[in-house]
Every structure is written in structure tokens, then in C-alpha cells.
Amino acid sequence: MKNKINVIDVILILLVIIAILFAAVKFFKIGNKVSPEHYVDAVYTVRIVGLKDVSMELIPDSGELKDGDGTAMGKVLSKNVEVAKEINQLADGSYKKIENKEKFDVYLEISCRGLQKDDGFYFDGLKNYGVNSNVYFDTDAVSFEGRIEKLTVKE
């Protein structure tokens, strides 16, 4: 038996090299830099549930928001406060929605810039969020969590 390289061996080696290069590009996103002109404006609404009045007052009415990692999450456009509604189970097993006057739900409308991709909206080009995503904010006065209720991308 001779140690000669066969044409099939060469083709197999080339296929393996191509597969490795494809995996590197796909998983490590080599050469996938996005320029700032691809960023779009968006407005989203975050609902923060069940806050006491002291905590509610610490949430900013305006200004820039960042998450715990320092990612820019946008600028607060408006803050709306409603009395919190809770669902309680009655003695007969039925449920009733009642207002809890000691707690509040806060709605923040926030404008931001980010990337709109097929798999979601990326704040600051880094973090993927969508409707019903939990978001965490960190300010000088308070840290809080909310859920995105609505996300509108301006084309």
C-alpha cells in the first residue's frame, strides 16, 4: 500500500477547512461591525409594578437611564403613575381585581437608539430586548426592574 494522497482526501480536507471558517464567522461574528448610520430611533414603555410611594418618587421623571452594566437604555420622555391593581382570591374561590392604594404601578416612556435586527431590538447595539422583556435600571438614587409593555421602532 502506497502513502499517496487521494483526490477524495484533498476534497475532504478542503470541506473541513471551509466548515471551520464558516463556524468562526457565524459564531464569533467576524467582520460584523455596524456603523452608527444603521442605528434607529425607538420609543418603548416600561411598566414597574407594585411600588410603595417612597420608591415611586425616586424613579426619575426625566434624564438618561442605564442598566446595571452601564448600557445606555435611553432618555425618559414621560412618567405616569397609577394605583396598583391586584388580583385577590375570594372565599368562594373566585377572583376579583381590586386596587391597592398603598402601592403604585409606574409607566415610563423612554426614547432610545439601537439596532433593529431580525431577532430583536438591540439597545446601544449590545443587548437584545423586546416586548415582555424584563429590564433593569440603575440610577444614583434607586435600582429597579420593569417589563417592556410596548416597543415602537421609528423607521
Side-chain angles (χ1 to χ4, degrees), residues 25-93:
V25 169
K26 187 74 173 166
F27 293 117
F28 300 114
K29 301 198 188 271
I30 296 172
N32 196 16
K33 302 291 182 198
V34 178
S35 60
E37 62 262 10
H38 290 99
Y39 280 63
V40 295
D41 294 322
V43 175
Y44 65 102
T45 303
V46 173
R47 179 181 178 204
I48 304 123
V49 179
L51 294 175
K52 301 265 186 186
D53 57 352
V54 174
S55 299
M56 183 226 8
E57 291 171 3
L58 291 174
I59 294 177
D61 294 342
S62 62
E64 296 288 330
L65 288 176
K66 294 184 184 268
D67 69 0
D69 298 331
T71 302
M73 298 297 286
K75 182 179 179 182
V76 177
L77 298 175
S78 66
K79 173 181 166 182
N80 297 320
V81 178
E82 295 179 357
V83 175
K85 293 179 177 64
E86 297 178 347
I87 298 175
N88 286 352
Q89 186 174 12
L90 303 177
D92 64 359

Side-chain angles (χ1 to χ4, degrees), residues 2-154:
K2 297 180 183 179
N3 271 341
K4 212 173 189 183
I5 296 178
N6 194 340
V7 173
I8 294 175
D9 293 337
V10 172
I11 292 173
L12 286 174
I13 291 170
L14 287 174
L15 284 175
V16 168
I17 291 172
I18 290 171
I20 291 171
L21 289 175
F22 177 76
V25 169
K26 187 74 173 166
F27 293 117
F28 300 114
K29 301 198 188 271
I30 296 172
N32 196 16
K33 302 291 182 198
V34 178
S35 60
E37 62 262 10
H38 290 99
Y39 280 63
V40 295
D41 294 322
V43 175
Y44 65 102
T45 303
V46 173
R47 179 181 178 204
I48 304 123
V49 179
L51 294 175
K52 301 265 186 186
D53 57 352
V54 174
S55 299
M56 183 226 8
E57 291 171 3
L58 291 174
I59 294 177
D61 294 342
S62 62
E64 296 288 330
L65 288 176
K66 294 184 184 268
D67 69 0
D69 298 331
T71 302
M73 298 297 286
K75 182 179 179 182
V76 177
L77 298 175
S78 66
K79 173 181 166 182
N80 297 320
V81 178
E82 295 179 357
V83 175
K85 293 179 177 64
E86 297 178 347
I87 298 175
N88 286 352
Q89 186 174 12
L90 303 177
D92 64 359
S94 63
Y95 293 92
K96 183 177 182 180
K97 190 180 262 192
I98 62 168
E99 288 187 350
N100 183 346
K101 298 195 186 298
E102 295 178 3
K103 293 185 178 180
F104 301 92
D105 292 347
V106 177
Y107 293 86
L108 294 177
E109 189 174 60
I110 303 168
S111 70
C112 65
R113 288 189 58 75
L115 291 172
Q116 178 67 43
K117 294 185 179 180
D118 292 339
D119 61 343
F121 186 81
Y122 288 79
F123 290 87
D124 202 28
L126 300 172
K127 296 188 176 180
N128 183 359
Y129 290 104
V131 174
N132 292 325
S133 294
N134 289 335
V135 289
Y136 303 91
F137 298 99
D138 203 12
T139 67
D140 294 336
V142 67
S143 296
F144 56 94
E145 174 187 0
R147 181 178 294 260
I148 296 178
E149 298 277 312
K150 184 171 116 177
L151 174 66
T152 307
V153 176
K154 297 178 182 177

